Amino acid sequence: MSIRNLDALFSPATIALIGASNRPGSVGAVLARNLFDAGFAGPILTVNPRERAIRSTLNYHAVSTRITANRRKARMPAP
């Protein structure tokens, strides 16, 4: 394995945050705040079926083939 294969993991061009939220204190809201406040240069695509926008950014309601991201962060609710 060459180091080139790790570029998408450590230097992503786009990030999809699955489970992003506007609910204060939730894991999805904390992750969204941290990603947006970190100054990431590329697009951050938020995914949540119940929100129209996350942190004033257009939100996707589902993951589809139209969303292509180098890195996806997922937050799933505990069972």
Side-chain angles (χ1 to χ4, degrees), residues 19-43:
S21 176
N22 285 320
R23 196 175 67 232
S26 68
V27 174
V30 171
L31 284 172
R33 183 188 68 224
N34 290 343
L35 276 174
F36 283 106
D37 292 349
F40 180 70

Side-chain angles (χ1 to χ4, degrees), residues 50-71:
R50 293 177 295 279
E51 300 284 352
R52 183 172 189 167
I54 303 286
R55 297 187 61 82
S56 301
T57 302
L58 180 64
N59 177 61
Y60 291 88
H61 292 261
V63 176
S64 70
T65 55
R66 291 179 290 171
I67 299 176
T68 55
N70 294 114
R71 189 169 185 187

Side-chain angles (χ1 to χ4, degrees), residues 14-18 43-47 67 69-74:
T14 306
I15 295 176
L17 178 56
I18 302 164
I44 299 171
L45 310 172
T46 59
V47 181
I67 299 176
N70 294 114
R71 189 169 185 187
R72 292 176 178 87
K73 285 191 156 278

